């Protein structure tokens, strides 16, 4: 009865909030406000929570407050893909704002274990980041209240002498705007809260993600997107003591604040971090008690993956705090706890913002001392570690090692490039392609998190991935070193401004017999597409060969002639040079067709057709995987493609494409007609590249030949403890781990790889069985597949010696099926080539070898 009464009361509060929305509902008691600072309504024309703020409106209000207040400075930190500004507001006393550079410099001393720091007088820094998921809008809408309160509240002026507040009102500008446009355009003036309403059911891909449909809250460590790089730069400049991360969760939930489950912290995060997070949590509990809101803590959520906004700070002496508010997903929606209004969700977030402020203010010296102690302990730990440095590289390709080095330096980590070739334990590391990261530096723990492999864990449940070992992700040679092997003669430090890929070139002169481009470079597909688009005759060598001067070329080498371009020798050479430079690949002039291994007219050389690509989207397609593909082709390889809605699939639509990309997902909406259209198209000679659920759909509709291994059986026995059900079943989930696989580098799918040992990333339990035809399994798992991360023992048999990639012929066409995601979160550079080979070379795979 009490629970029912409480739910009714909460429902009443929420409903009244919708009916009586004004600033008095949100603002804390006991404060007076400077009338010179405009309220949100005075600038936007509506009360907070009455409508969802769009990104342009949000920035407009932030600028208005900054112009009116001497406590606030606004700066543009960068632009999103859709060119929306990312802004940061720095809030402090006018005195502090006049010496920001000095405050930042003093904070950098906290990272220097030998530098003196005036902890007693040092300002504490709190970062507030809102709505990294665009369709979790209560955060960004609460930022309107936060900036108003911190800029206008007269009573906090003295506090700001010892505090610096950093406010990012929209970590995901594009997603926030997409979602606001959706809900505002479906808002009724007379609402009933029916969850079936179109307002609460966004169109695909929904507003959670950025322009390319990436979850930016998984990108703090990989930093593959401009939004992430810009915000990580701010973090490294300021080293905030407390880092707030505002999210939403299911409508029927309540409110969560960290710490999360104690056993699910990353082992590199000190226990003191949990203690401080828990201490701050007492402030949240008190504040939420005062407004009568339900909440929970130390359940469900974890602090393991350092790529999340609330966990990334924890490995750097900061306290990351996640807030999760039950989402109204619109303006007013029914929930198990009663009517949930948008203003109610905003008020909870703003209340947690204020409680964080109070905790940070009162714990100022403790938080600064913790950061100082954190980095002091790192000095001791790194000196005791037998691993003094990490070296990585790829002798056949400078791009993948460059991109890993570029990733690492974003996090204020020193990286050194080799100036001469060296061999370590029998592995050759070439200058220009290899880098060394010393462990003895302030970011020691973060470095260790990037390079370590881990297969044992305290807990078996993970909110996100359990492994991300970066050299494995980039398919690089690497090893830990027990000495730094650093001296000024053989290395030089690189940084964000000096790191660059060397431009490509044409080696030789105009008028050559033919030109050749090796396929080992990461950006070879980019160059190949430009060559095909230029109208040149582009062929692929299916055997190795060597020129008279001894230069060797591997399988997959691209051979280029003028074809029907109509260019003379000099113009042809200039175009090749332009493509080589822009694609950062080298192209070699061949003086003769009389080469060893095979000659240039060999039947083992095939003509390539330019890929005309359609990527299926919408419906039940996994928007993350679709976005990863779109980003890969559009941003990395500059290849146009069509985003083809599944509802548009028919024979006429498919005729203009020769490659069809089907990401993981549920394709039942295609129905019998869609399946028939795809079958007819692929039978006629098309190439399908399919992943996961797409393979299942094709198989069920008898399009290609694929089989699957059974998933682990459910728990057996007469009786099991119900209280253990969630943990037992959750432990069987493969949330994200790295596996050893063996690649046939003589197969077109393996062209460009020089080592058959490769690492793949898996985050599901769909087990693809190998084909009975051994030539149709270009990539298979090894007998001992787990390389890094968590795998439940019951899943091992499904993976051992199973297929990672399996090819099936269908008439004149073929299907290339992937069990694992080769493009995971844009940082799995090491398997991107497998995917690109499927696009470019699927057309030459002999279908007789795939039955």
């Amino acid at each position: 009865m009490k629970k029912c009464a409480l739910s009714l009361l909460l429902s009443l509060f929420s409903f009244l909030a919708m009916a009586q929305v004004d600033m008095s509902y949100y603002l804390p008691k006991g404060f007076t406000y400077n009338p010179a600072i405009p309220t949100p309504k005075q600038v936007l024309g509506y009360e907070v929570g009455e409508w969802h703020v769009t990104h342009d409106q949000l920035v407009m209000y932030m600028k208005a407050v900054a112009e009116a207040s001497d406590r606030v400075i606004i700066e543009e930190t960068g632009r999103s893909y859709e060119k929306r500004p990312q802004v940061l507001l720095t809030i402090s006393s006018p005195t502090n704002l006049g010496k920001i550079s000095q405050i930042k410099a003093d904070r950098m001393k906290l990272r220097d274990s030998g530098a003196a720091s005036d902890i007693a007088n040092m300002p504490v820094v709190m970062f507030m980041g809102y709505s990294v998921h665009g369709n979790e809008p209560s955060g960004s809408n609460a930022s309107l209240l936060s900036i108003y309160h911190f800029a206008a509240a007269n009573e906090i002026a003295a506090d700001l002498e010892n505090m610096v507040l950093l406010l990012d009102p929209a970590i995901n500008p594009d997603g926030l705007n997409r979602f606001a446009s959706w809900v505002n355009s479906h808002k009724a003036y007379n609402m009933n809260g029916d969850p079936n309403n179109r307002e609460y059911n966004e169109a695909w891909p929904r507003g959670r993600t950025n322009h390319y449909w990436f979850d930016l809250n998984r990108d703090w460590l990989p930093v593959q997107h401009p939004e992430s790089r810009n915000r990580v730069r701010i973090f490294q400049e300021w080293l905030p003591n407390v880092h707030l991360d505002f999210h939403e969760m299911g409508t029927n939930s309540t409110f969560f604040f960290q710490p999360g489950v104690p056993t699910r912290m990353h082992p590199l995060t000190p226990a003191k971090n949990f203690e401080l997070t828990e201490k701050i949590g007492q402030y949240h509990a008190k504040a939420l008690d005062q407004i009568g809101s339900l909440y929970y803590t130390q359940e469900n959520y974890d602090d393991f993956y350092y790529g999340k906004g609330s966990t990334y700070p924890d490995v750097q002496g900061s306290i990351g705090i996640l807030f999760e508010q039950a989402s109204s997903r619109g303006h007013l929606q029914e929930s198990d706890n009663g009517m949930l209004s948008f203003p109610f969700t905003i008020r909870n977030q703003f209340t947690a913002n204020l409680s964080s402020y109070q905790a940070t203010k009162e714990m100022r010296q403790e938080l600064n001392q913790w950061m100082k102690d954190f980095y002091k302990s790192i000095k001791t730990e790194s000196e005791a570690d037998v691993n003094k440095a990490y070296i990585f590289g790829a002798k056949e390709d400078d791009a993948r090692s460059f991109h890993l080095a570029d990733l690492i330096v974003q996090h204020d980590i020193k990286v050194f490039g080799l100036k001469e070739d060296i061999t370590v334990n029998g592995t050759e590391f070439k200058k220009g392609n290899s880098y060394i990261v010393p462990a003895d530096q302030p970011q020691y723990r973060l470095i260790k998190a990037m390079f370590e492999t881990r297969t044992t864990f305290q807990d078996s449940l993970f909110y996100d991935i359990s492994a991300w070992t970066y050299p494995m992700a980039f398919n690089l040679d690497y090893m830990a070193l027990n000495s730094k092997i650093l001296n000024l003669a053989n290395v030089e430090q690189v940084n964000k401004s000096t790191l660059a890929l060397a431009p490509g070139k044409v080696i030789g002169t105009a008028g050559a017999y033919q030109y050749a481009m090796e396929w080992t470079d990461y950006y070879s597909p980019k160059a190949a597409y430009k060559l095909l688009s230029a109208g040149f005759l582009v062929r692929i060598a299916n055997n190795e060969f060597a020129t008279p001067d001894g230069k060797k070329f591997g399988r997959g080498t691209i051979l280029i002639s003028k074809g029907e371009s109509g260019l003379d020798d000099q113009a042809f050479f200039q175009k090749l040079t332009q493509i080589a430079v822009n694609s950062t690949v080298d192209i070699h002039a061949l003086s003769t067709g009389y080469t060893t291994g095979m000659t240039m007219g060999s039947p083992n050389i095939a003509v390539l057709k330019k890929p005309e690509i359609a990527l299926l989207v919408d419906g039940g397609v996994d928007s993350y995987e679709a976005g990863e593909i779109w980003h890969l082709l559009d941003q990395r390889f500059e290849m146009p493609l069509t985003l083809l809605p599944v509802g548009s699939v028919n024979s006429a639509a498919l005729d203009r494409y020769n490659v069809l990309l089907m990401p993981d997902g549920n394709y039942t909406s295609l129905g019998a007609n869609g399946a028939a259209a795809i079958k007819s198209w692929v039978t006629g000679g098309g190439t399908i590249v399919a992943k996961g659920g797409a393979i299942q759909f094709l198989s069920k509709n008898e399009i290609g030949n694929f089989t699957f291994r059974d998933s682990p059986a459910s728990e057996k026995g007469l009786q099991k403890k119900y209280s253990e059900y969630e943990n037992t079943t959750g432990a069987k989930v493969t949330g994200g781990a790295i596996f050893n696989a063996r690649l046939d580098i003589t197969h077109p799918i393996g062209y460009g790889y020089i080592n058959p040992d490769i690492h793949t990333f898996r985050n599901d339990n769909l087990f693809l069985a190998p084909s009975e035809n051994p030539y149709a399994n270009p990539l298979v798992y090894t007998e001992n597949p787990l390389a890094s991360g968590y795998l439940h023992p019951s899943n091992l048999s499904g993976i051992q010696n199973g297929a990672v990639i399996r090819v099936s012929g269908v008439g004149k066409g073929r299907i290339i099926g992937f069990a694992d995601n080769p493009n995971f979160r844009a940082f799995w550079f090491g398997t991107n080539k497998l995917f690109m080979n499927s696009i470019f070379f699927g057309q030459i795979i002999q279908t007789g070898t795939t039955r």
Side-chain angles (χ1 to χ4, degrees):
M1 187 69 184
K2 289 182 179 179
K3 183 178 179 181
C4 181
L6 180 59
S7 294
L8 288 172
L9 183 61
L10 289 170
S11 179
L12 178 62
F13 285 163
S14 187
F15 183 76
L16 290 175
M18 197 67 236
Q20 302 175 5
V21 61
D22 60 33
M23 293 293 278
S24 65
Y25 174 71
Y26 301 109
L27 295 177
K29 294 180 174 59
F31 290 87
T32 59
Y33 293 90
N34 181 354
I37 307 302
T39 66
K41 185 176 182 180
Q42 288 173 329
V43 175
L44 304 179
Y46 59 85
E47 295 285 3
V48 174
E50 187 178 354
W51 294 89
H52 284 244
V53 69
T54 58
H55 185 260
D56 58 317
Q57 293 172 331
L58 188 63
V59 173
M60 178 172 66
Y61 180 66
M62 297 295 159
K63 288 181 176 178
V65 172
E67 184 176 349
S69 175
D70 62 356
R71 297 179 184 174
V72 181
I73 293 175
I74 189 170
E75 61 180 301
E76 182 177 311
T77 59
R79 293 266 168 163
S80 69
Y81 282 116
E82 295 176 16
K83 304 305 178 185
R84 291 188 173 87
Q86 291 177 265
V87 298
L88 179 76
L89 293 96
T90 304
I91 308 150
S92 192
S93 68
T95 301
N96 285 338
L97 293 181
K99 56 178 183 179
I100 284 178
S101 296
Q102 183 59 50
I103 293 174
K104 287 183 179 180
D106 289 342
R107 296 195 63 74
M108 289 303 111
K109 294 178 182 178
L110 295 174
R111 271 192 175 167
D112 184 348
S113 59
S117 300
D118 186 3
I119 299 297
N121 297 306
M122 180 178 290
V124 69
V125 178
M126 182 175 79
F127 175 89
M128 301 164 283
Y130 303 88
S131 300
V132 67
H133 297 143
N135 62 358
E136 299 177 4
S138 57
S140 285
N141 283 266
S143 76
L144 297 166
L145 300 166
S146 297
I147 189 61
Y148 175 74
H149 176 79
F150 295 133
N154 295 310
E155 289 74 13
I156 70 169
D159 297 346
L160 295 179
E161 294 293 342
N162 294 305
M163 300 183 75
V164 177
L165 308 178
L166 306 174
L167 188 150
D168 184 336
I171 295 179
N172 179 5
D174 298 343
L176 178 76
N177 208 72
R178 189 187 316 139
F179 180 73
S181 298
W182 175 269
V183 291
N184 285 339
S185 65
H186 292 94
K187 178 189 174 182
Y189 279 82
N190 298 284
M191 294 173 281
N192 63 8
D194 182 355
N196 296 311
N197 197 318
R198 183 172 167 83
E199 178 183 0
Y200 314 116
N201 297 279
E202 303 166 72
W204 194 97
R206 296 165 285 279
R208 178 183 177 90
T209 50
N210 75 346
H211 174 78
Y212 284 104
W213 313 332
F214 279 78
D215 184 338
L216 290 177
N217 196 43
R218 305 298 186 268
D219 196 44
W220 283 84
L221 199 59
V223 286
Q224 295 303 303
H225 303 283
E227 301 96 331
S228 306
R229 295 203 163 201
N230 296 332
R231 67 175 185 257
V232 164
R233 185 185 72 249
I234 295 301
F235 182 95
Q236 297 301 336
E237 287 177 2
W238 275 102
L239 299 184
N241 300 92
V242 176
H243 191 278
L244 308 183
D245 190 18
F246 294 90
H247 289 253
E248 290 182 359
M249 53 184 167
T251 300
N252 294 322
S253 302
T254 57
F255 188 88
F256 168 84
F257 56 83
Q258 281 184 319
V261 180
T263 58
R264 299 181 198 167
M265 287 178 59
H266 196 288
L268 291 172
T269 301
K272 181 70 173 180
N273 177 279
F274 186 92
E275 295 171 13
L276 290 171
T277 307
E278 188 175 29
K279 183 174 181 179
I280 294 171
Q282 301 303 312
Y283 288 81
H284 308 322
K286 181 179 178 181
L288 293 166
D289 283 344
Q290 289 175 348
I291 63 172
S293 285
L294 299 175
Y295 57 85
Y296 67 100
T297 186
Q298 298 191 38
E299 297 180 66
N300 288 15
Y301 296 93
D302 70 17
D303 286 294
F304 190 85
Y305 173 49
Y306 287 131
K308 297 187 298 182
S310 58
T311 313
Y312 177 75
D314 294 345
V315 73
Q316 299 177 82
S318 181
I319 307 297
I321 301 178
L322 169 70
F323 299 111
E324 292 276 358
Q325 164 62 44
S327 180
S328 64
R329 276 295 186 269
H331 293 86
L332 181 70
Q333 186 175 176
E334 297 169 5
S335 79
D336 288 350
N337 294 309
M339 282 290 188
L340 181 61
S341 74
F342 188 38
F344 179 81
T345 69
I346 295 170
R347 185 175 70 158
N348 278 349
Q349 299 278 37
F350 178 53
T351 298
N353 205 154
L354 295 181
S355 61
S356 301
Y357 170 89
Q358 190 68 22
T360 304
K361 180 184 74 170
E362 295 180 9
M363 296 170 62
R364 176 178 66 86
Q365 291 193 45
E366 184 177 10
L367 291 167
N368 278 330
Q369 187 63 54
W370 163 237
M371 184 169 282
K372 182 68 176 176
D373 292 344
F374 176 90
Y375 286 106
K376 185 177 181 180
S377 69
I378 276 179
K379 182 67 174 175
T380 304
E381 291 175 26
S382 63
E383 289 176 351
D385 197 331
V386 296
N387 296 326
K388 301 303 182 184
Y390 299 90
I391 187 169
F392 62 88
K395 57 180 175 288
E396 79 283 4
D397 174 26
D398 63 343
R400 283 178 287 119
S401 51
F402 158 80
H403 281 294
L404 179 53
D406 181 55
L407 181 162
I408 294 171
V409 298
Q410 305 301 319
H411 301 286
D412 197 26
I413 295 172
K414 293 179 182 177
V415 178
F416 295 82
L418 293 186
K419 294 168 62 178
E420 59 186 43
D421 299 348
I422 64 173
T423 299
V424 184
N425 295 333
T427 301
E428 183 182 3
F429 293 94
K430 296 178 67 66
K431 66 178 181 180
N433 293 20
S434 304
Y435 301 87
I436 293 176
V437 182
D440 183 16
Q441 51 180 312
Q443 292 287 53
Y444 163 77
R445 288 177 183 257
L446 192 59
I447 293 166
K448 202 168 183 67
M450 292 176 174
F451 284 89
E452 72 171 4
T453 58
R454 187 181 294 274
T455 56
T456 58
F457 303 88
Q458 184 179 3
D459 203 308
S460 56
L461 271 66
F462 298 85
Y463 190 75
D464 199 71
I465 62 178
S466 63
W468 54 90
T469 310
Y470 280 145
M472 291 182 176
F474 284 73
N475 189 35
L476 297 170
D477 293 324
Y478 81 105
M479 62 186 67
L481 307 172
N482 57 19
S483 64
K484 296 179 186 177
I485 28 177
L486 290 178
N487 62 67
L488 295 178
N490 64 9
V491 299
E492 60 182 347
Q493 186 175 349
V494 297
N495 55 47
K496 286 185 279 189
S497 61
T498 61
L499 258 178
L501 275 174
K505 58 187 177 298
V506 178
I507 300 172
T509 60
Y513 172 81
Q514 195 167 221
Y515 294 86
M517 179 186 72
E518 295 174 282
W519 197 251
T520 50
D521 195 285
Y522 180 82
Y523 284 106
S524 296
K526 178 179 178 179
Y529 190 83
K530 293 183 182 298
L531 293 167
L532 288 162
S533 298
F536 302 147
L537 176 63
V538 177
R539 301 182 301 151
I540 178 173
N542 290 302
N543 269 342
E544 300 169 344
F545 66 93
T547 59
D549 62 2
K551 169 65 178 174
K552 295 180 180 179
F553 292 87
R555 288 182 175 85
T557 294
I558 299 298
L559 302 170
I560 312 133
S561 302
K562 284 185 285 187
E564 298 179 358
S565 64
L567 300 179
D568 61 29
D569 287 348
Q570 193 60 43
F572 178 45
F573 185 82
Q574 289 176 351
K575 184 65 176 177
L576 289 178
T577 300
Q578 178 189 7
I579 291 172
V581 169
N582 292 339
S583 302
T584 67
V585 301
D586 289 343
I587 297 175
H588 300 261
L590 305 182
S591 61
T592 177
Y594 195 73
T595 49
T596 57
M598 68 175 181
T599 52
M600 293 297 96
S602 169
N604 280 309
I605 298 174
V607 174
L608 284 183
K609 297 178 182 177
K610 184 175 74 170
E612 302 290 351
I613 306 168
L615 169 63
L616 291 190
V617 299
D618 209 352
V621 174
D622 186 315
S623 60
Y624 290 154
E625 290 199 9
E628 289 160 358
I629 294 169
W630 182 22
H631 173 269
L632 180 74
L633 297 182
D634 196 38
Q635 286 289 317
R636 300 251 176 90
F637 297 116
E638 299 180 6
M639 294 170 57
L641 73 162
T642 296
L643 304 179
L644 183 65
V646 291
S648 299
V649 172
N650 56 66
S651 298
L654 294 181
D655 285 345
R656 63 187 296 154
Y657 314 109
N658 54 29
V659 177
L660 182 65
L661 307 179
M662 299 180 67
D664 196 6
N666 184 332
Y667 286 86
T668 54
S669 63
L670 279 171
N673 290 338
I678 290 174
K679 187 171 186 177
S680 174
W681 174 84
V682 70
T683 301
T687 296
I688 295 176
V689 185
K691 158 72 167 58
I695 307 175
Q696 288 182 305
F697 170 81
L698 295 170
S699 180
K700 289 177 181 178
N701 286 275
E702 299 181 348
I703 308 172
N705 178 24
F706 294 95
T707 53
F708 302 89
R709 291 175 171 175
D710 293 335
S711 297
S714 58
E715 293 292 310
K716 296 180 179 179
L718 179 63
Q719 186 182 57
K720 297 283 185 180
K721 287 185 179 180
Y722 181 78
S723 61
E724 297 176 356
Y725 172 77
E726 184 175 340
N727 285 346
T728 300
T729 56
K732 294 181 179 179
V733 173
T734 305
I738 305 171
F739 295 89
N740 299 309
R742 186 174 61 255
L743 177 66
D744 177 6
I745 59 176
T746 73
H747 193 287
I749 298 299
Y751 285 175
Y753 288 88
I754 64 171
N755 188 339
D757 297 321
I758 195 170
H759 293 104
T760 71
F761 184 87
R762 161 177 283 270
N763 60 349
D764 63 32
N765 283 348
L766 181 63
F767 306 120
L768 183 61
S771 171
E772 293 180 1
N773 178 356
Y775 301 104
N777 301 313
L779 185 63
V780 296
Y781 296 108
T782 63
E783 178 69 21
N784 298 302
L786 183 62
S788 186
Y790 171 80
L791 179 69
H792 192 274
S794 66
N795 291 324
L796 180 60
S797 61
I799 298 175
Q800 281 177 312
N801 300 314
V804 184
I805 301 176
R806 176 172 166 174
V807 184
S808 176
V810 185
K812 296 179 181 178
R814 73 287 301 154
I815 301 169
I816 303 165
F818 282 77
D820 294 351
N821 183 358
N823 309 312
F824 183 69
R825 291 182 182 168
F827 74 84
W828 215 266
F829 279 74
T831 50
N832 287 157
K833 190 179 291 291
L834 298 172
F835 189 77
M836 299 309 297
N837 287 355
S838 301
I839 290 174
F840 278 92
F841 304 152
Q843 60 184 283
I844 68 165
I845 297 174
Q846 298 181 40
T847 56
T849 66
T850 61
R851 298 184 191 280

